[in-house]
Amino acid sequence: MASRPKTTRSSTRTKAATQAADPPAPTRTTRAVSKTTASSSTAASSKKTIARKPLVNRNNSPEIKPSSRNAAPKLAAVTNTASSIELPPDTDKEPIKAFLRIRPCLDDAEATYEPYLEPLTDSSVRMTDPSSSSAHSRMSTISPSSIYTFSHVFPPDTTQSEFFSKTTLPLVRDVLEGRNGLLFAYGVTNSGKTHTIQGGSEAGSAGIMPRTLDVIFNSIEGLHGDPKYRPVRLQGIELAAESNEPTTIRLPSKNSSPALADVLEDDLSSASTFGTDTDPTVLKLDRNYEYTIWLSYAEVYNEKVYDLFGALEAGASSAVQTPSGIPRSTSNFLNMPVPSNKAPPPLLTRKALTVKPSPASDADGDAASAGKYIAGLRQVQVRSAAEAKGLLRVGQLHRRVFGTLANSQSSRSHALVTIKVLRVHRGERNDPACIQTARLTVVDLAGSERTKHTHASGERLREAGNINKSLMVLGQCMETLRANQHALARSLQQGVKAGTQFDTRDVKRGLALVPFRHSKLTEVLMDYFVGDGRAVMIVNVNPYDTGFDENVHVMKFAALAREVCTNPAAAVSRIPPSPTKLKANGIRPSSSHRRKVTISLGGPGKKASEAHLEVLEEDEELDDGEETSVEDDEPINPLVNALFDEVEELRMQLYDAHLRCALIEAETREEVMVEMEERMRSMEDMFTRRLMRVMEHNEEKLDAKLDMIQRSRVLSKVAVPRSEGGYSDSIADSVESDAIGQLRMSDVGEGEYDEAESSVAGRDGDYESNDSDAYVHSTSDARSRTPSPLAGKGKAAPKRQSTIRPNAKLSNAVVSDQETETETEDEIETASPDDNDDEDVETDGILDEPTESESASDSEESIEDWTESEASETTPARAKGKGKAPAKLVVAPSKPLVMAQAKRTQGQVQQGRKPTGKASKTVAELEQELDELSLGDEIDPEDSTVIIPNKKAREKAMGPGMEYVPGKGEVDPGKKKKR
Ligand SMILES: Nc1ncnc2c1ncn2[C@@H]1O[C@H](COP(=O)(O)OP(=O)(O)OP(=O)(O)O)[C@@H](O)[C@H]1O
């Protein structure tokens, strides 16, 4: 037995007798010491190489079947990933497992989103861009729909217990049997990583971490060992009595109130999880072994590593540190009085820890696989699951108080909980060389920050930059590892094919440098990728989130991870040099950083009050005197470093550009809105003005019309003597024709007023002549006259023919109103269908041949009389008074009418009844006046109404041999029945 060494390597030597019980027998003996015992001769003989063989229960996972263990690792998780190199059978390798967990819909707001993730099978999902039809997606380079495969897909209704047993339980078994394991949760913010790792406080909602602790302590019940030795570094052990480090940490006392711990109690019990839920699972273990469990809790924040179990000082002056390092109540910030709002915020100082390369002695002289450890990280022994959970809750509080798990509950740091299991055979408990060390690290990665969506700035932006950088480096490491493994496999294949012997060291020398060193996260985890152990990746996705693009990156990352094999030959990866080299080169990564933290007291969402703290984060101490590995002396590749910095710089620039774009877009939208509003306003003003003008114009017009009607009534008092032969005949004719017109137009409504107006206007004019031209002009124009604005809506506004009778003899003829009306009525009656043997509507009065005497009469008077009678007759009351049914509007064929009128006029001219030039002029003026009044509306020829000539008139107008043919859609007046 070796005399009590201060520090020694742990042994993972396997007992042949015990391993026989565990199928497939060969146990990992990674750090096996050369010292052998009788029972360990088997292990000793298989020391180095066997140490890297697959572990006892590689088939723990339901996915790995014994038959497939020797098969080439399954590659290409994503359907659109091309690479598929057939690796030669290598039982040392196993690809990282990737499990997808789909978060359920939590509230109504999320339910409005259509989930963009659809599980296809137990191991595949389809992801479809919800905005694939939008313009945005056309600009995006991301494929709108892809299928991704995983080791297993867990739908939203998966219980915590089920998820734990399928993903983590095999790792728990491994660690209890002496093998390392890594589990990390990856996903965007709010995707459920923390819920998966820690869980909730409700029954059955405990996450992976508390369940792991439960299962470990359930399984080692009665197998607790003596903590004579304690773990150090990554895989070393040392005598506990000789250590300066405390083996336990006293939990904050609840009695020492008021303290931060008290006011954060709500958080401890609810949000910080580890509720009362316990997992009853018990693993069957070799009962010849004794176990001690050690816990450490670190966080990587802003590219610095902090110990969440560390002694924290509430201000430099009040810091009291016990010799043992256990924080006293006065020095423990959790027992610090709640800072009031008025007082200056207390200063909390914490020191970043250094990540150092493990000495080669910790890995049997193999520095390459020794990995790196966090120097100064406390590893605390825990004896029960409850104690472990309590300790983790303190760690959670530390994260909260230091602002890395601030009020939003969003993790701003990567949290690493490492459970170390020291196992030793009962018969060799005093032999440190026989102690096996295995560790399981559970990492709750900070959410890959969507700076584009969250519009982070200042401190948040810096955090986001560092989070993204570390995740990016993790991806780069995976990428390089995969490339190296493929390159190695290709070389091996070629060598096998060629049947030549070649030195794999030559190939390894040409492999790319894995950039673990460029992020603290990868530095700390590198041992799992280059050394021994199994790695499991949990991909959390919230399919109701708007961050489709970010989730695509997460999926691609998972696909990449599945192509990386862990537990490869350690020499595949070459370890980058340690930070000490950076110091030697004069490069300091960063300096101390001071920032303010505000904590909501009373639990999240309650916001009872706030506490303000100031946090000073000091840089890690760089110790050149530490034992370093051989690989650490390799020169830094400045190019890789510069490239990483540049990538990060570009990423920030891209973010800035996105931000600028968003601002410009918002400003432009604002400007456009203002301009549109202005335009709409000006348009509204313009239309209002126009409307007012039209209304004024209409009013004027109405006034004018009323005026005309009034005047026409005054003039209608002028009587025309009946006895004066042709003269009175002319009036009678005029009235008759008008009455017929009235009958025909009785449904015209207001259109009549136009006609009346026209007639009255004609009366006003100085009409002295019977000029046939003027007559024709008047007739044809009447058809094209604009309908009156008084016409009913939706109704054709017809124009009646201004049948000015040029042959009216009106000189000195004065007829009383009464007489005129009587005459008119008589004439209408005369013109009624009953009295007319012609079936057509009579308009004889219009087209009657004037007599000689009539032609010689004063045309002006004739017009006045005719107009008067027309105006009288056009009133609906009159027509109604006759008891006539309203006549239908009949649009007479305009062309034949014009011809008839023209002919008639010609006849009139021939008979010397030409209107005087003065009369012609007056009519034109009248027309013009009416046109002006008509507001320039569009003229619809169909709206014109003409008086239909009767058969006799038509015959006269057309002449012998001519036949009247009605136009299309016109009513043949010849067929018109009596009404
Ligand atoms: N499987 C689940 N069942 C029920 N609730 C869940 C589930 N997964 C997540 N949640 C809830 O979703 C919310 C966000 O989850 P969580 O805090 O775990 O996200 P996260 O990925 O850790 O976010 P961050 O990276 O910001 O810390 C929490 O309220 C959590 O309770």
Side-chain angles (χ1 to χ4, degrees), residues 101 103-104 106 188-195 409-411 446-447:
R101 184 169 198 189
R103 210 201 75 177
L106 294 181
V188 300
T189 295
N190 206 31
S191 58
K193 297 181 299 295
T194 308
H195 181 86
Q409 290 291 312
S410 177
S411 323

Side-chain angles (χ1 to χ4, degrees), residues 37-165:
T37 62
S39 58
S40 64
S41 56
T42 314
S45 62
S46 60
K47 197 176 85 178
K48 178 75 181 176
T49 35
I50 294 174
R52 305 206 183 283
K53 290 279 180 206
L55 312 176
V56 176
N57 275 328
R58 275 288 151 91
N59 56 350
N60 275 341
S61 163
E63 292 79 22
I64 302 291
K65 294 188 173 63
S67 58
S68 66
R69 282 181 56 211
N70 290 339
K74 194 176 165 191
L75 299 177
V78 182
T79 49
N80 51 14
T81 307
S83 61
S84 61
I85 301 276
E86 275 293 310
L87 294 176
D90 186 347
T91 51
D92 278 353
K93 292 189 174 78
E94 180 182 297
I96 295 176
K97 284 197 174 67
F99 297 103
L100 177 72
R101 184 169 198 189
I102 304 170
R103 210 201 75 177
C105 177
L106 294 181
D107 51 37
D108 293 344
E110 286 186 343
T112 56
Y113 291 101
E114 188 69 22
Y116 49 73
L117 208 62
E118 177 198 356
L120 297 176
T121 64
D122 272 0
S123 58
S124 64
V125 284
R126 178 187 282 118
M127 220 174 148
T128 311
D129 188 351
S131 59
S132 54
S133 57
S134 72
H136 161 74
S137 67
R138 283 197 291 277
M139 291 162 61
S140 173
T141 53
I142 293 171
S143 166
S145 180
S146 301
I147 294 174
Y148 298 91
T149 57
F150 291 85
S151 304
H152 193 87
V153 173
F154 293 91
D157 56 356
T158 309
T159 60
Q160 293 280 59
S161 159
E162 186 186 346
F163 187 78
F164 168 75
S165 25

